[in-house]
Amino acid sequence: APGGKTLGLAWSHQFQKILAIDADSTRLTTLRTNLETVALPSQVIINTLVSDALELTNHSLFDAVLLDVPCSSSGTARRQPEVLRKMNFGNLLERQFQLLHACLEYLKPGGILVYSTCSIFPQENHMQINRYLNQNPQHARRLPFSIPPNGFQHASLTQHGDWQILPWHLAEYDEDQPSRFDCDAHYVARLQKL
């Protein structure tokens, strides 16, 4: 990290152009360095841009946006317990909501936004999605997943059809050997711009 999700998009062969945006120039420098060490599909072009996603200007509309919002990182507490001591929602929830709203504006009609956190807290996850959809019912709709992510049990599907991935949702999870399963918690929802 950083760059795992960007590489995943490149290797999915679904996108020819990827723009990775981060307000932290150090993270983008590391991303570019990491990209140089792997073999990317030849037809994929990855560009980077140092910018706050709330201030993005002079861009064309996108087919898809992967919005990996800043979050409490509570889903990493199993291996980084200090995140629970440092956790402070402060302005975090409002920032997540502003990013969700802004990034949906960057989509073409019919475009897909994937909202992602490494949090276990509902107020960072489905409650953000529900809040947006309740306030903007004519702007976007939820695209529920019908199957769990590869390698996970059906329990990782929420009642809304989002993914709330927890370590014990791994298909091979063994409660007698929990440390054998190195998996953080994640939340993923899909929205389509109308």
Side-chain angles (χ1 to χ4, degrees):
K5 294 176 187 78
T6 303
L7 286 171
L9 291 173
W11 287 328
S12 75
H13 300 282
Q14 294 182 30
F15 305 98
Q16 292 182 335
K17 292 182 184 176
I18 297 171
L19 176 61
I21 301 171
D22 200 308
D24 184 341
S25 62
T26 304
R27 286 180 53 83
L28 286 179
T29 299
T30 304
L31 169 84
R32 286 190 292 273
T33 300
N34 291 343
L35 291 175
E36 291 170 4
T37 65
V38 297
L40 292 173
S42 60
Q43 76 277 12
V44 175
I45 299 168
I46 298 177
N47 292 308
T48 59
L49 175 65
V50 177
S51 177
D52 183 323
L54 295 179
E55 299 169 4
L56 188 60
T57 58
N58 299 324
H59 63 83
S60 57
L61 294 178
F62 301 108
D63 296 319
V65 170
L66 170 58
L67 176 58
D68 187 24
V69 295
C71 70
S72 65
S73 300
S74 58
T76 67
R78 183 185 52 76
R79 62 182 173 82
Q80 297 177 340
E82 67 276 5
V83 301
L84 297 177
R85 289 188 297 278
K86 296 178 184 177
M87 196 169 49
N88 178 0
F89 282 124
N91 296 325
L92 185 61
L93 297 175
E94 191 55 33
R95 173 101 174 136
Q96 291 169 346
F97 188 76
Q98 291 170 349
L99 286 165
L100 176 59
H101 193 277
C103 289
L104 275 157
E105 292 297 321
Y106 302 151
L107 286 171
K108 296 176 183 176
I112 305 296
L113 181 134
V114 174
Y115 177 90
S116 170
T117 74
C118 60
S119 174
I120 60 170
F121 295 117
Q123 57 267 46
E124 293 186 88
N125 297 336
H126 75 269
M127 290 173 68
Q128 290 286 35
I129 302 300
N130 292 348
R131 176 182 170 199
Y132 181 85
L133 293 174
N134 288 337
Q135 291 181 13
N136 303 279
Q138 303 303 317
H139 192 71
R141 68 183 182 102
R142 182 182 250 123
L143 287 178
F145 294 100
S146 59
I147 58 172
N150 191 25
F152 288 85
Q153 300 169 13
H154 195 73
S156 60
L157 280 174
T158 70
Q159 66 180 5
H160 302 291
D162 305 332
W163 288 341
Q164 179 67 70
I165 300 165
L166 302 169
W168 51 90
H169 289 162
L170 283 163
E172 300 88 28
Y173 185 78
D174 180 350
E175 62 186 35
D176 294 328
Q177 298 177 327
S179 63
R180 203 179 74 152
F181 301 92
D182 190 22
C183 173
D184 292 335
H186 295 281
Y187 171 81
V188 180
R190 287 186 305 183
L191 300 177
Q192 182 175 39
K193 184 174 180 177
L194 300 176

